[in-house]
Amino acid sequence: MRFVKTLILASVFLSMGVQAHGMNPGITKVTTYKDISKMTYEVYNSYEFPAVYTMQVFTQDLTPAPESLYRFFDGKSVVRLKPNSKAKVDVLFKPEQDVSRFIVCSVLTGVSYEEIKPSITSRVCSRLIVERISR
Amino acid sequence: MKFNNAIIAALGLSFAAIVMTPAASASATVAGTAKWNGNTGNLSSMCKFTKNVAGTMTFDEASNTWTTTSPAEFHINTRGNNNINVIAYEKLLQGSSEIADVQVDYQYDTVITGPAGLTINLNDDDISVAMNGKRGKLEFELGGTAVVTNDDIVFAANQSYSINHEVTCIQ
């Protein structure tokens, strides 16, 4: 006897209206004399529900970047956004090489005020190239 | 007398011209077009998730397999030389608890729609799309199967489970 269980996954996302998760800027190259570079990313939540976004920094091959190479300004790496709102996140980079490549991501880690983990985790990432030049 | 008639005729033509000119001008104004000219300016690369809807799946205990009955759907608006990756989190979850390992096969029932000229690799448990500089809307219907690798699990009736997927768009 064939026993079939049916599961309807809780649809935590609404499909009506304009919905979006995005981040600006896209790929960026910074050329600087400074040892520390500051980048500001704007994360926007155009979904019609509150969402939690967690910022992550990776190296070029998508392995987590060593914490010695970056830090979030004020230590703020989690952004809680109301529907149709946006927030800025400052990241400080201290690259060890003359040309360093990072991938900075905002990851949807929770939806609704209960911060339920989504079944599809959207991750928007921006490439960053920091070129340090000598005086 | 003929002279006078000629003068009157000439005056008549001139009058007609004077009368017609504003009429023609007014007509041009009515039929003319007004427009706003604009330019998008320098737009940078973009990754924007515009749809994100969970799918549904059913369980067949005989084969220990979950099969999607409606796919998870997500759309991405993209511009630039972007890369999109989908990775299955090969765990069967009950709430946030990991119940069992699963082996996901996207190839069974996944559809990807987007602009021409993309490089798409659709593998068992991961998908990669290189946009190759194309811009547009990328639509994923993420369907497939997930085989529970542990045969010893005895599921209770009417319990809800989920399998998560991570979608990354690198701009």
Side-chain angles (χ1 to χ4, degrees):
Chain A
M1 179 177 169
R2 190 175 176 197
F3 178 60
V4 179
K5 280 189 277 185
T6 301
L7 167 70
I8 300 176
L9 294 173
S11 181
V12 292
F13 296 105
L14 303 175
S15 59
M16 55 187 152
V18 177
Q19 305 185 35
H21 160 211
M23 185 173 77
N24 293 319
I27 182 170
T28 305
K29 182 177 181 180
V30 176
T31 303
T32 180
Y33 291 112
K34 298 179 179 176
D35 291 334
I36 296 176
S37 299
K38 178 183 165 188
M39 279 293 298
T40 300
Y41 291 93
E42 184 180 72
V43 182
Y44 57 90
N45 174 44
S46 301
Y47 290 117
E48 294 169 338
F49 47 78
V52 181
Y53 297 96
T54 302
M55 301 297 293
Q56 299 173 335
V57 179
F58 298 94
T59 59
Q60 193 177 2
D61 60 359
L62 271 178
T63 56
E67 292 186 2
S68 60
L69 301 184
Y70 76 95
R71 74 177 174 87
F72 293 99
F73 195 71
D74 291 338
K76 192 175 84 173
S77 62
V78 177
V79 183
R80 288 177 170 81
L81 291 175
K82 293 178 178 174
N84 299 306
S85 64
K86 56 190 176 184
K88 290 182 178 176
V89 178
D90 294 327
V91 192
L92 303 174
F93 293 92
K94 189 180 179 183
E96 293 173 341
Q97 299 170 354
D98 291 341
V99 178
S100 298
R101 298 172 193 275
F102 298 97
I103 296 174
V104 182
C105 303
S106 63
V107 188
L108 178 65
T109 51
V111 295
S112 81
Y113 287 110
E114 287 73 34
E115 302 186 0
I116 299 166
K117 184 175 170 59
S119 60
I120 300 175
T121 303
S122 62
R123 188 160 67 166
V124 177
C125 302
S126 299
R127 295 184 184 95
L128 172 66
I129 305 164
V130 182
E131 183 183 35
R132 209 172 44 183
I133 53 177
S134 54
R135 294 176 192 276
Chain B
M1 203 60 176
K2 284 182 181 175
F3 178 71
N4 288 343
N5 285 344
I7 292 173
I8 291 168
L11 287 172
L13 284 173
S14 300
F15 179 74
I18 291 167
V19 170
M20 291 300 291
T21 302
S25 177
S27 174
T29 303
V30 170
T33 57
K35 59 182 177 181
W36 291 351
N37 293 320
N39 186 289
T40 56
N42 187 25
L43 295 175
S44 64
S45 54
M46 177 181 73
C47 285
K48 186 164 76 172
F49 285 80
T50 59
K51 185 176 186 180
N52 194 330
V53 178
T56 59
M57 59 185 185
T58 61
F59 182 61
D60 174 25
E61 193 164 54
S63 61
N64 227 14
T65 301
W66 292 88
T67 304
T68 53
T69 48
S70 68
E73 293 181 68
F74 57 92
H75 297 172
I76 305 173
N77 289 354
T78 135
R79 179 180 53 241
N81 206 20
N82 300 344
N83 293 309
I84 292 103
N85 295 299
V86 182
I87 297 174
Y89 185 66
E90 293 187 303
K91 301 286 181 184
L92 187 68
L93 301 172
Q94 188 169 35
S96 58
S97 302
E98 296 178 359
I99 303 301
D101 292 336
V102 293
Q103 198 158 12
V104 169
D105 185 359
Y106 287 136
Q107 294 178 334
Y108 179 78
D109 196 18
T110 289
V111 178
I112 303 166
T113 308
L118 311 182
T119 304
I120 299 175
N121 288 310
L122 176 55
N123 302 314
D124 286 352
D125 55 4
D126 67 86
I127 303 167
S128 67
V129 179
M131 293 303 295
N132 298 329
K134 307 293 180 188
R135 64 183 158 79
K137 184 183 197 178
L138 200 58
E139 299 183 3
F140 285 80
E141 293 179 7
L142 202 63
T145 57
V147 177
V148 180
T149 55
N150 185 346
D151 291 335
D152 297 331
I153 294 179
V154 179
F155 290 100
N158 299 315
Q159 297 293 302
S160 295
Y161 297 91
S162 62
I163 295 169
N164 290 349
H165 312 267
E166 187 175 82
V167 187
T168 302
C169 180
I170 302 176
Q171 55 188 353

